[in-house]
Amino acid sequence: MSLDATALLLNVKKSIRKYFLDNLYTTEGYEVTFDKGFAPPKVQGLEKDNWYSVNFISNNNENQASTSMDIVIASRVDPEGDIVMGMRDTLFAYLIGNEGGQRSITLYNCANPANLASIGGMIIIPESASGIMEAEDGTKYIIFPIRLLYGVKI
């Protein structure tokens, strides 16, 4: 017996990946990594100075499923923390809807990457972000936890 497409964690992860790459990388021009913790991305062998890292924490697959993740927002050359705070504001705009309402991420059936089919939506629940913290190398960072809620067919 196979699982319904809405219950496949692979579809959830690839849909989340698409959302953040489409918005933060393609539209905003920031590097985005997935499940790399705090490590800065390398492009052509050079570490980038500003990036987002989406780290999956947990997944609960019941009728009302949820996925939790931490998004690390990091800036290496940012003495006052202004860049990382601006990046936090950019991210927040993609997490909430107009007038402070809820936004959702489209859940796709990723079985055929050339022809993604929408099979639902995941409601974004932003949680309280950390303040600006500083790593030993001077990198400023903020950890922004979010939770996604969505229906699955079991």
Side-chain angles (χ1 to χ4, degrees), residues 94-149:
Y94 287 107
L95 299 180
I96 61 164
N98 294 335
E99 314 279 323
Q102 290 183 316
R103 188 172 283 223
S104 65
I105 295 174
T106 302
L107 178 59
Y108 293 100
N109 184 341
C110 299
N112 180 2
N115 186 23
L116 297 176
S118 173
I119 55 174
M122 300 177 283
I123 297 170
I124 302 170
I125 310 292
E127 298 181 3
S128 295
S130 71
I132 297 174
M133 298 181 280
E134 186 170 340
E136 289 181 16
D137 68 354
T139 299
K140 299 285 195 295
Y141 67 99
I142 296 170
I143 298 174
F144 203 131
I146 66 170
R147 196 163 43 109
L148 303 175
L149 301 177

Side-chain angles (χ1 to χ4, degrees), residues 20-84:
F20 288 114
L21 287 175
D22 286 353
N23 291 299
L24 297 176
Y25 178 74
T26 303
T27 301
E28 302 294 339
Y30 289 106
E31 294 298 323
V32 181
T33 63
F34 296 87
D35 290 325
K36 302 271 187 202
F38 187 70
K42 290 185 179 182
V43 176
Q44 297 179 343
L46 300 173
E47 289 184 348
K48 299 303 279 184
D49 288 334
N50 305 307
W51 72 97
Y52 294 91
S53 181
V54 179
N55 300 287
F56 293 91
I57 306 297
S58 66
N59 186 68
N60 176 9
N61 243 8
E62 297 176 2
N63 287 336
Q64 177 68 50
S66 66
T67 296
S68 297
M69 65 194 74
D70 285 341
I71 302 174
V72 177
I73 308 160
S75 180
R76 296 177 74 177
V77 184
D78 192 6
E80 300 296 322
D82 294 341
I83 295 170
V84 77

